Amino acid sequence: QTGDEIMSCLTVAEGRVYIGSNDENVYCLNAGTGALIWKYKTNGGVWSTPTISDRRVYVGSSDGNLYCLAAPSGSLLWSYSVGAVYQSSPAIACGRVYIIGRYAYCLNAFTGAYIWSDKVQTDGNASPMVTDGRVYVGYSLPGWGEEVCLNASTGEKLWSFTPAAGGNTAVCSTAAVAYGKVYFGSCDNRVYCLDAKTGTMVWSFYAGSYEI
């Protein structure tokens, strides 16, 4: 038992379960028995879902850091301050790690060295989607947001799209990319489909609203 609420999703790899907790820990458990193998203490709630690559665990914390831990032992390999990371989960591609904190960041996956960051401020909720040399990022601040496509190597902005339905346009949704299209949801209660190369809207669907 972690003793606090779980908002992170589980990641399972090589017989182990990795998960973050609001008690500020990252946990590694035996997938067959649930026995604790190790835990690592951060200084903030861990709502980010861990990403496993090359026997390393990448995970963000609301303390503002992206952590890289050794998967076998949980020891810290490096950390880098990216601003508060809430539900954004790291993406790994071509020896680089991408995360959304205060901005979208690209770091060297092995050393944590800074490569680039986009200077559009956001809140670290959506996760980056990396494919075909591009990074698709959902940005959000209270009442405002957009979907952005960046060059994965340089961080150059290739296009941006702001939901036009009015109201809250924040994009906390992680994009899915398939068939040359980008699909994502917005806080304006719509699902959008864009052309992945140009950012031109193909269609949108009103999915209704939720009221308490």
Side-chain angles (χ1 to χ4, degrees), residues 13-18 27-39 71-74:
E14 298 183 344
R16 295 183 174 193
V17 177
Y18 301 88
Y27 290 88
C28 174
L29 311 175
N30 182 293
T33 67
L36 177 67
I37 298 174
W38 55 256
K39 66 178 180 178
S73 64

Side-chain angles (χ1 to χ4, degrees), residues 2-18:
T2 67
D4 217 322
E5 61 186 355
I6 303 292
M7 299 180 69
S8 168
C9 294
L10 298 164
T11 300
V12 181
E14 298 183 344
R16 295 183 174 193
V17 177
Y18 301 88

Side-chain angles (χ1 to χ4, degrees), residues 63-67 78-85 99 101-103 105 107 112 114:
D63 67 9
N65 290 305
L66 172 64
Y67 291 90
W78 56 259
S79 66
Y80 191 91
S81 177
V82 297
V85 179
I99 188 73
R102 182 60 61 197
Y103 311 105
Y105 283 84
L107 309 174
Y114 173 91

Side-chain angles (χ1 to χ4, degrees), residues 70-135:
S73 64
S75 59
L76 178 66
L77 299 177
W78 56 259
S79 66
Y80 191 91
S81 177
V82 297
V85 179
Y86 297 112
Q87 292 176 304
S88 183
S89 300
I92 310 293
C94 301
R96 297 183 175 194
V97 55
Y98 302 85
I99 188 73
I100 304 174
R102 182 60 61 197
Y103 311 105
Y105 283 84
C106 172
L107 309 174
N108 183 293
F110 300 101
T111 66
Y114 173 91
I115 298 175
W116 58 256
S117 62
D118 189 32
K119 297 304 182 184
V120 177
Q121 186 172 335
T122 185
D123 63 6
N125 276 318
S127 300
M129 168 60 69
V130 186
T131 184
D132 296 328
R134 295 183 172 208
V135 185

Side-chain angles (χ1 to χ4, degrees), residues 21-78:
S21 172
N22 206 38
D23 70 358
E24 303 185 345
N25 285 294
V26 181
Y27 290 88
C28 174
L29 311 175
N30 182 293
T33 67
L36 177 67
I37 298 174
W38 55 256
K39 66 178 180 178
Y40 181 85
K41 182 72 160 56
T42 73
N43 292 308
V46 182
W47 309 327
S48 171
T49 297
T51 298
I52 315 300
S53 179
D54 293 319
R55 295 173 63 83
R56 297 172 181 232
V57 182
Y58 300 88
V59 66
S61 170
S62 64
D63 67 9
N65 290 305
L66 172 64
Y67 291 90
C68 177
L69 311 175
S73 64
S75 59
L76 178 66
L77 299 177
W78 56 259

Side-chain angles (χ1 to χ4, degrees), residues 7 9 47-49 51 85-92 98-101 122-131 134-140 146-148 159 169-178 181-187 190-194:
M7 299 180 69
C9 294
W47 309 327
S48 171
T49 297
T51 298
V85 179
Y86 297 112
Q87 292 176 304
S88 183
S89 300
I92 310 293
Y98 302 85
I99 188 73
I100 304 174
T122 185
D123 63 6
N125 276 318
S127 300
M129 168 60 69
V130 186
T131 184
R134 295 183 172 208
V135 185
Y136 299 90
V137 177
Y139 284 152
S140 61
E146 61 182 358
E147 185 71 21
V148 177
W159 55 255
T169 63
V171 179
C172 298
S173 165
T174 298
V177 182
K181 305 292 191 299
V182 181
Y183 305 87
F184 66 94
S186 168
C187 290
R190 289 184 174 272
V191 177
Y192 289 90
C193 171
L194 311 181

